[in-house]
Amino acid sequence: MSEEKVRREPHLSDSLISRLQQTLATCSQLIEGGDFSNSHELVTALVDFLTPISVSVVEEASNLDLEGTSFEILTEIDCFISSPSRNQEVIDALSFELPKVVCKFARASKRCSEIAERVVGHLVSRCSPREMLSILCEALSSPSEMFRAPCYFAPLIGGLAKVIILIQRRQFEQVKAAIPVILGVLKSVSLEGDEEDKDTEDIFQKAIAVADSIQAVCKKLEQKDKTKLCAILGMFVLQVMALVSIAMGHNSSSLLPIMLHLSYFLPFCGLSYEGLIAGPDVDKFTTICRDDGDDRMVYFSHVKHGGSLAVIWGYKSNETSTAADADFEAVKKELQMNQTKRWQAIGMLKHVFSSVDLSWELKGHALDFLLCIMDGCVHQEIQNDNMDHSTYMPTLYMALQAIELVIIYAPNAVLRKKSFDALKKVLADIPCSLRFDILKALIQTSESSSMIAILLDCVRREMYEEHSRSISVIGGVSEAEVKYSQCLSFWSAGVLELVELVLKPPNGGPPSLPEYSDAVLSALNLYRFVVIRESTGKTNYTGVLSKDTLQMAYNEWLLPLRTLVTGVVAENQQDHDHLASDTVCALNPIELVLYRCIELVEDNLKNA
């Protein structure tokens, strides 16, 4: 029957069921009679007969007649397959095609999905587990775009959970083959699915059933294979934690029970909160999986996200930390006291902050966790002189970049403030001798005017605090007698390089206005601060008061900027729209600080 006719005449369900019964009966007779060639053609015909109906079910989701027809079709297939007297050869022949066929009808309704899963379960219980594992994996990998939905995949993944527990030989190899297929489906559902869809939650419950089965298999294996399979189970659980957080991250009430259930697997696999948040547990399992000779790490691309999220949920929920057999307070204290592990944790959290797929709510939880371990932490400027701090700087730099993304794109002021607080606390944890280099790198790579302005303000605050500390140290000695030392890491010529990055961009010409107004204003304020401090204290740590430097700043930074600002203001004053008015208002503070800088330079040039 054509697809169009199914749409036009859904009331013909009786004739459809009659034809289905006839096809199944004929197929059974041919197979029992040994006519496998014709029976294969009949199975193909059965698929061709049912496919248009399943397509109509998807295209006319609100058609109750089609839902009823789907229910009757699935019921008929279920009765046929579950019959105790059914010949095994018939079941085997149909098992190659029926899982895909019945799961397409699962999209019709919840009751249809339940029957589809029952049919898959009957096939699993009657057929070779190894054969069914391959069949189900192929069915998971092959649906057309129309059927790529959680309700299609869920019965198949539920079937795999039943198959895995039945495999008696080479369990490790069979599980290792199935895991990438399952994770590929879950990733697709996470990135494309509707988080409000209950079917999304259902498919992750099926994934948990798969984890339960793998755990049961682990208990039966010899130590070598058990170690490898536990590593794969641990990686699978962490990946699922990340994917379910992507899929359901805006709904904590639904997400928490799943994260709670997944947390029970962590101690079984030998995963601890400290090992997850500092990274060694993930690295250890990654090495085990790679050493097996078949690098499947592409399927575990979110395990570090999952490791971080596992610990974050332990921080948010006592139940979850209990399930993970973890003492969160002890973990927090260790991170606060151990700078190395704290930096490793910050490096792991960057995966959460930089993810475009995780919800802002989860990123807010991650910020709360980060602030929790940073509050009361022990800074180690001197205690670890033998430690090579520089090896951790690339990780901290990337983590700070990830926090910047939250500052820039967070949808509300509360989250932006939290992320800014986190940025300051992480910067404060970096030794002074390396902090300036980190800030310089962040400024050089930032494309956001507002972010550059924030970072330049951080530099100015660091310079102010260094200056204050140096004065308190020498107590009563004039500023001119303060010698340049490591305690003045920010008071160097490098600070003028930061000003130049903004006022005279590397690609030439003055900065773009009004687009870079925030950065320009912050750079001018930083320059003014340095000139005033150096001239007042009769010092020249930065070289800002040298005649050549003053002349260069005057001719190459300030005068070109004055020409630009006055030109843009004059041009916009001729217009009377809101945009022109906003531009003039944005440039007013720049004008004020710019002219003050010009006056300071002119005064110092007279005395140079």
Side-chain angles (χ1 to χ4, degrees), residues 255-534:
L255 179 58
L256 178 57
I258 295 177
M259 296 297 286
L260 177 63
H261 196 154
L262 289 167
S263 295
Y264 282 106
F265 294 102
L266 300 180
F268 177 82
C269 296
L271 294 169
S272 68
Y273 275 179
E274 186 177 318
L276 286 173
I277 199 62
D281 281 2
V282 176
D283 293 338
K284 177 181 69 176
F285 277 12
T286 299
T287 301
I288 292 173
C289 291
R290 281 184 175 151
D291 285 350
D292 189 51
D294 186 6
D295 187 2
R296 295 173 180 264
M297 292 312 300
V298 66
Y299 301 104
F300 298 111
S301 58
H302 287 72
V303 288
K304 291 188 175 180
H305 302 68
S308 299
L309 290 164
V311 182
I312 290 166
W313 275 106
Y315 161 68
K316 295 296 293 183
S317 163
N318 290 333
E319 281 183 290
T320 306
S321 59
T322 301
D325 195 21
D327 181 350
F328 183 81
E329 286 302 314
V331 174
K332 182 180 76 171
K333 185 175 181 180
E334 178 65 19
L335 294 176
Q336 289 174 334
M337 299 299 294
N338 190 312
Q339 189 177 57
T340 300
K341 290 182 180 179
R342 187 164 63 249
W343 286 356
Q344 290 170 336
I346 293 168
M348 285 291 287
L349 289 171
K350 74 175 182 286
H351 298 288
V352 176
F353 295 134
S354 62
S355 173
V356 297
D357 300 311
L358 288 170
S359 69
W360 290 112
E361 183 179 348
L362 288 177
K363 290 178 183 180
H365 294 336
L367 285 169
D368 290 337
F369 171 74
L370 177 56
L371 292 170
C372 168
I373 63 173
M374 297 307 297
D375 289 338
C377 68
V378 177
H379 301 300
Q380 297 172 341
E381 289 281 355
I382 302 173
Q383 296 95 316
N384 274 339
D385 282 341
N386 295 326
M387 173 184 168
D388 185 5
H389 293 296
S390 61
T391 58
Y392 292 94
M393 291 308 108
T395 297
L396 291 174
Y397 165 70
M398 289 187 287
L400 287 165
Q401 280 190 312
I403 295 172
E404 281 183 357
L405 294 174
V406 184
I407 295 174
I408 295 170
Y409 296 109
N412 60 70
V414 172
L415 205 52
R416 289 193 291 272
K417 184 181 184 306
K418 277 186 186 179
S419 53
F420 180 55
D421 289 343
L423 180 84
K424 290 189 294 183
K425 288 180 183 294
V426 173
L427 283 170
D429 204 27
I430 298 171
C432 285
S433 57
L434 298 170
R435 200 178 303 155
F436 178 82
D437 292 334
I438 287 281
L439 277 165
K440 181 179 179 180
L442 291 171
I443 291 168
Q444 286 176 319
T445 54
S446 180
E447 297 180 356
S448 165
S449 172
S450 298
M451 196 66 239
I452 293 172
I454 289 171
L455 294 169
L456 288 173
D457 285 344
C458 287
V459 171
R460 183 156 56 96
R461 185 169 54 253
E462 290 284 350
M463 296 183 76
Y464 174 80
E465 291 175 358
E466 278 191 349
H467 180 270
S468 300
R469 284 196 299 270
S470 68
I471 296 301
S472 65
V473 168
I474 60 173
V477 180
S478 68
E479 291 188 49
E481 296 180 65
V482 180
K483 295 182 179 180
Y484 177 79
S485 67
Q486 287 186 348
C487 74
L488 294 176
S489 303
F490 280 76
W491 286 90
S492 69
V495 74
L496 299 181
E497 294 176 16
L498 300 182
V499 175
E500 185 172 53
L501 279 172
V502 177
L503 301 186
K504 186 186 175 184
N507 57 357
S512 178
L513 293 175
E515 293 83 354
Y516 273 77
S517 295
D518 290 344
V520 169
L521 180 60
S522 188
L524 288 171
N525 275 320
L526 176 60
Y527 181 73
R528 180 180 63 167
F529 170 78
V530 173
V531 173
I532 291 173
R533 283 290 181 185
E534 296 274 40

Side-chain angles (χ1 to χ4, degrees), residues 112-126:
C112 288
S113 177
E114 290 172 353
I115 300 180
E117 184 169 0
R118 197 157 65 226
V119 171
V120 172
H122 289 319
L123 293 172
V124 166
S125 65
R126 296 284 297 271

Side-chain angles (χ1 to χ4, degrees), residues 44-88:
T44 302
L46 174 65
V47 173
D48 293 341
F49 160 60
L50 293 174
T51 296
I53 308 174
S54 62
V55 170
S56 298
V57 168
V58 176
E59 293 182 343
E60 300 182 35
S62 60
N63 190 324
L64 296 180
D65 290 323
L66 278 175
E67 192 279 337
T69 300
S70 300
F71 181 76
E72 291 181 47
I73 288 172
L74 290 171
T75 301
E76 187 63 38
I77 293 173
D78 181 47
C79 291
F80 182 85
I81 291 295
S82 61
S83 173
S85 61
R86 192 66 59 210
N87 187 290
Q88 185 61 42

Side-chain angles (χ1 to χ4, degrees), residues 137-195:
C137 284
E138 194 275 333
L140 283 169
S141 305
S142 63
S144 64
E145 194 63 33
M146 178 179 293
F147 295 103
R148 296 189 65 82
C151 51
Y152 170 85
F153 294 121
L156 297 170
I157 294 178
L160 278 175
K162 296 181 177 73
V163 167
I164 288 171
I165 204 71
L166 296 174
I167 296 173
Q168 298 300 317
R169 297 176 61 251
R170 301 179 65 84
Q171 295 100 323
F172 172 72
E173 289 79 3
Q174 298 297 319
V175 170
K176 190 174 70 172
I179 288 296
V181 180
I182 298 169
L183 290 178
V185 169
L186 295 179
K187 186 174 183 179
S188 173
V189 169
S190 299
L191 297 178
E192 302 169 12
D194 179 2
E195 66 182 31

